[in-house]
Amino acid sequence: FTGMKKGKAVVHTAPPSWVWKSISPAGLKALDDYKYTGQDLSILVELFLRDFWNKCMVFVPETLAPNVITFIGFMFLISNSVLSIWWCGDSTGETCELPRPFFLWFAFSVFVYQLMDNLDGKQARKTGSSSALGELFDHGCDSLYMCLIAYPMVCAVGWNGTQSFYILCSAVLVFYASHWEEYHTNNLILGRFCNPTEGQFGCMFLFIFAYFVGPQWWQDNSLGTFLPFVPAVLHTLPLRVVGLYALPFLLLYVVGDNAWSLNKWCKANNKSFTSTFSKLSPLIIHIVLMTMWVNVSRINIAETQFVYLVNFHGIMFSYLCDRLMIARITHEDVPHWNHILFLTVFGLLNALFGFVQEELVLPALFWILFAIFIYYGVSVTYQLSHYLDIFVFKLPSK
């Protein structure tokens, strides 16, 4: 069957039979009205980054597909994780010290990722190839940023596995909350004071700092070293732990800002604000279950199976966030419960009752999740590319 796109007939071909048809025909039809809207209120973008990115566009060939640019930046992120895991394995930043030059590479990789992540959208607009598939590919890679940056960050600051787990929980909740707001308002707003751009520059700073002074600096120096007037109970608190105590305040500010904006939108559009919280439930359920699992684990999975823990937690988040983003684009509902959460449920129940040797459970659950995640991602890509009659890594012929 055919449709129209910018005045041209589009042939909507059916994807292969093995594809998981997770998007309904009505959801695919909604792609005909797709339009991306968003605001980036970053201070750094306004000061100099926008001009810098615009000048960099001169070096981007017009024949290069936007998704190729996205993928190049994503590969740099993967290199960071591969280097960290190859050197340290399941050892965390508290027990494994990376060679200092690694941190310079990490900083450079985040810089390249950020650059590519902003050039892809400019290239899409320049070539007239903006699409729902491009947005999902971009934001899908962004959602994996959390688990991919976790390994090098742990090594740069020297957090242990448990501390790193709570840091990751906070990061994914912040990311998810912005897309929770976007799901309802159809407008992605990147805030002024807690923006991904500033966060990425913060990561780059920490990596460069670790190159010059080493991760141990965060343990050797306490809060009282720089703030001698703090109460005695906080005076000897290592700086690497200070971030953990600051997490609740960061979460309250960021998620609260999303909730405040969404509440105003609901009032303006005569919608129920309380009903919007149901879209948060899949991730909240997963975080609660994972937190319980980490705390009751008899083998202390946060320390002994750190790589699998971060990968399982990060990919589960990415999957749930991708489902939320796809539901927004296709105008479909997000259920309170997702069946993939049974994986987390099983992990927790096994930790409590010992059905299976616990050392085997998290690796097995990770590979099951990974297979589902890849199958789902490839299937969605096939569905969208066939319906929109476009290629993933190639610009349409003129």
Side-chain angles (χ1 to χ4, degrees):
F1 59 107
T2 62
M4 297 297 295
K5 182 180 179 183
K6 294 184 178 180
K8 297 180 180 180
V10 177
V11 178
H12 302 310
T13 57
S17 58
W18 55 264
V19 166
W20 177 3
K21 311 299 191 302
S22 60
I23 304 175
S24 68
L28 291 172
K29 183 65 178 175
L31 298 175
D32 296 339
D33 301 321
Y34 167 80
K35 181 182 179 181
Y36 176 75
T37 56
Q39 295 175 271
D40 190 347
L41 305 178
S42 165
I43 296 174
L44 295 179
V45 170
E46 293 180 1
L47 286 176
F48 67 92
L49 282 176
R50 183 175 288 110
D51 290 337
F52 171 69
W53 294 332
N54 288 336
K55 291 177 181 177
C56 288
M57 282 299 297
V58 176
F59 303 100
V60 179
E62 288 194 15
T63 56
L64 193 63
N67 288 342
V68 173
I69 300 175
T70 306
F71 191 70
I72 291 172
F74 186 64
M75 287 297 99
F76 274 85
L77 274 188
I78 288 181
S79 73
N80 288 356
S81 292
V82 169
L83 279 175
S84 303
I85 297 171
W86 168 68
W87 190 271
C88 291
D90 278 317
S91 299
T92 59
E94 194 174 49
T95 57
C96 178
E97 186 171 347
L98 288 176
R100 295 284 184 90
F102 279 25
F103 293 116
L104 287 182
W105 174 256
F106 295 162
F108 175 72
S109 295
V110 173
F111 170 77
V112 173
Y113 163 76
Q114 182 189 76
L115 178 62
M116 298 297 107
D117 193 37
N118 285 277
L119 294 188
D120 57 5
K122 295 180 181 297
Q123 179 74 346
R125 291 186 290 274
K126 180 180 178 180
T127 57
S129 57
S130 298
S131 68
L133 177 59
E135 180 189 341
L136 288 174
F137 190 85
D138 185 346
H139 291 172
C141 290
D142 290 341
S143 67
L144 287 169
Y145 172 87
M146 300 303 175
C147 67
L148 291 174
I149 200 66
Y151 307 109
M153 281 296 294
V154 165
C155 295
V157 182
W159 287 313
N160 62 35
T162 304
Q163 293 167 342
S164 304
F165 168 75
Y166 289 118
I167 294 285
L168 182 57
C169 285
S170 303
V172 299
L173 186 55
V174 166
F175 188 100
Y176 194 91
S178 64
H179 288 281
W180 163 64
E181 178 187 348
E182 184 192 19
Y183 173 84
H184 297 281
T185 66
N186 203 36
N187 186 24
L188 180 62
I189 301 176
L190 304 178
R192 181 171 296 274
F193 299 109
C194 192
N195 189 287
T197 300
E198 277 74 10
Q200 290 157 6
F201 267 90
C203 292
M204 286 184 264
F205 168 79
L206 288 176
F207 291 142
I208 295 172
F209 191 79
Y211 169 75
F212 284 106
V213 303
Q216 190 60 32
W217 185 89
W218 297 97
Q219 179 65 26
D220 294 340
N221 291 274
S222 65
L223 187 61
T225 306
F226 301 94
L227 300 174
F229 52 83
V230 298
V233 68
L234 301 176
H235 206 274
T236 58
L237 194 67
L239 289 178
R240 77 167 55 150
V241 182
V242 172
L244 294 173
Y245 286 91
L247 281 180
F249 301 100
L250 176 65
L251 283 174
L252 183 64
Y253 169 74
V254 179
V255 179
D257 184 60
N258 292 124
W260 180 266
S261 299
L262 181 54
N263 185 40
K264 289 196 299 183
W265 180 87
C266 288
K267 289 181 178 179
N269 292 272
N270 197 27
K271 303 286 186 179
S272 170
F273 175 59
T274 54
S275 65
T276 65
F277 284 91
S278 65
K279 311 310 176 189
L280 288 172
S281 60
L283 182 65
I284 297 298
I285 291 171
H286 170 68
I287 289 177
V288 170
L289 293 174
M290 281 302 305
T291 302
M292 295 173 63
W293 184 3
V294 166
N295 283 278
V296 302
S297 171
R298 286 166 288 179
I299 63 169
N300 194 5
I301 56 173
E303 306 299 335
T304 61
Q305 295 185 329
F306 180 68
V307 171
Y308 279 115
L309 174 65
V310 170
N311 275 310
F312 180 83
H313 191 36
I315 291 178
M316 179 68 80
F317 153 71
S318 181
Y319 177 85
L320 295 174
C321 193
D322 291 348
R323 294 298 296 247
L324 179 69
M325 291 187 287
I326 292 168
R328 174 186 61 80
I329 290 173
T330 58
H331 301 169
E332 296 183 324
D333 192 30
V334 177
H336 300 67
W337 169 266
N338 192 298
H339 292 324
I340 204 167
L341 293 172
F342 280 118
L343 297 177
T344 316
V345 170
F346 179 81
L348 172 60
L349 292 178
N350 185 74
L352 289 170
F353 303 108
F355 308 124
V356 183
Q357 184 179 344
E358 192 174 4
E359 288 83 355
L360 304 176
V361 172
L362 184 55
L365 292 179
F366 163 73
W367 287 113
I368 293 172
L369 173 63
F370 183 74
I372 295 173
F373 180 77
I374 294 297
Y375 178 44
Y376 175 73
V378 171
S379 295
V380 167
T381 301
Y382 264 95
Q383 275 199 282
L384 295 183
S385 62
H386 277 258
Y387 183 83
L388 298 173
D389 193 26
I390 58 177
F391 297 99
V392 181
F393 295 116
K394 181 182 176 182
L395 289 173
S397 57
K398 295 182 180 180

